[in-house]
Amino acid sequence: MVKQFKSKAQIFETAAQLFVDAAKKNIDEKGFFSVALTGGSSPVDLHKLLATEAYKSQVDWEKVFMFWGDERWVPLDDNLSNAKMSYETLLNHVPIPESNIFPMYKVGVDAADYAQTYEQILREKLGDSARLDFIFLGMGDDGHTASLFPGTEVLHEKDKWVDAYFLVPQDMYRITLTAPFINKADQIVVIAFGEKKAKALREVLQGERNPELYPSQLLKPTTGSLVFLVDDEAAQLLT
């Protein structure tokens, strides 16, 4: 499903409401709400909105488990860290227990080992459902999502929930949820705005299937829902 808006502000308001509604539903039904945040600059204003009293007051944050969809393998105080951004824009401003927050980084271990550890954390916290309730994702100008980049081996992963690899063009390790695990989620919300996203968005949604080139085409929930929240600029090439 694609929902198109005139402004980024409308995208963020819709995304924030989806988050709040899902939190209430899952906490009422099973006692907790499991979320994976996205990184980059796209969610900054969304996080700030969720941290306002109007939204944060509607969520029982003590029952929220916070994960990430992917991460650059850098220390948590590095400006490239998705976790650092999330703390500064959201997590430091809501009453979520530190023990409920699970950054995709740990000092003293390598990325590949921690990918296995992170999968075990997910299995422990998610219980029998073995799926996240809610995932925020972005989409790059090249059609990537999470750390599922064009031409990378991780695109073909079938069994792991979490994987890590060295991304040569960025000269760094990345750790990411895999497509099969993302697709198990109950709700997947992809945010894309700006004219730079227009070509990739058209190819992902309406082009020939080629996830090797446009990895966001791998998003296909097994039982849950998928919605793209886009603005007019990003959607300008859709027919």
Side-chain angles (χ1 to χ4, degrees):
M1 178 190 299
V2 179
K3 292 187 176 181
Q4 185 173 334
F5 303 90
K6 293 187 179 300
S7 68
K8 290 188 293 184
Q10 291 175 321
I11 290 176
F12 297 142
E13 289 168 2
T14 299
Q17 193 60 54
L18 287 172
F19 178 96
V20 167
D21 291 346
K24 291 177 179 177
K25 173 180 178 288
N26 284 282
I27 291 171
D28 285 347
E29 290 181 355
K30 58 186 176 65
F32 70 92
F33 178 49
S34 58
V35 184
L37 298 177
T38 187
S41 59
S42 296
V44 168
D45 288 340
L46 169 60
H47 288 181
K48 291 179 177 178
L49 185 60
L50 283 169
T52 61
E53 190 62 31
Y55 288 96
K56 73 177 181 181
S57 62
Q58 299 185 62
V59 177
D60 186 350
W61 292 95
E62 291 192 355
K63 296 177 181 176
V64 176
F65 292 142
M66 195 68 74
F67 301 93
W68 275 263
D70 75 314
E71 183 61 276
R72 304 173 180 93
W73 192 251
V74 296
L76 297 178
D77 60 357
D78 191 298
N79 286 333
L80 291 175
S81 168
N82 290 335
K84 180 177 188 289
M85 178 276 291
S86 300
Y87 271 100
E88 292 176 347
T89 57
L90 174 61
L91 301 178
N92 288 340
H93 308 283
V94 297
I96 182 171
E98 187 66 28
S99 59
N100 286 12
I101 303 173
F102 305 96
M104 269 184 157
Y105 179 84
K106 188 174 182 179
V107 176
V109 299
D110 65 33
D113 286 344
Y114 196 62
Q116 295 180 31
T117 300
Y118 205 80
E119 179 168 331
Q120 291 306 310
I121 294 171
L122 284 163
R123 290 182 182 277
E124 175 187 338
K125 297 300 178 182
L126 300 183
D128 293 338
S129 70
R131 69 177 187 180
L132 288 164
D133 298 320
F134 196 97
I135 300 180
F136 277 129
L137 292 172
M139 188 196 71
D141 301 353
D142 59 357
H144 86 268
T145 192
S147 281
L148 307 177
F149 285 88
T152 54
E153 188 63 31
V154 70
L155 301 180
H156 305 285
E157 179 56 51
K158 302 297 184 185
D159 300 314
K160 296 177 183 177
W161 290 12
V162 187
D163 205 359
Y165 67 98
F166 189 77
L167 184 60
V168 174
Q170 296 185 6
D171 193 29
M172 67 166 56
Y173 280 92
R174 308 281 302 217
I175 181 170
T176 187
L177 301 182
T178 63
F181 181 67
I182 290 171
N183 284 330
K184 292 170 68 172
D186 188 49
Q187 287 182 263
I188 304 170
V189 177
V190 183
I191 295 169
F193 53 83
E195 62 181 351
K196 290 183 178 180
K197 304 293 176 72
K199 181 179 183 298
L201 187 67
R202 179 187 62 190
E203 294 299 329
V204 167
L205 296 178
Q206 299 178 342
E208 293 185 12
R209 183 164 175 80
N210 187 359
E212 190 77 16
L213 187 59
Y214 296 102
S216 290
Q217 290 182 342
L218 291 172
L219 298 176
K220 189 176 182 181
T222 50
T223 59
S225 65
L226 168 64
V227 61
F228 282 77
L229 305 181
V230 305
D231 69 353
D232 290 343
E233 290 186 345
Q236 63 184 275
L237 299 180
L238 298 181
T239 57

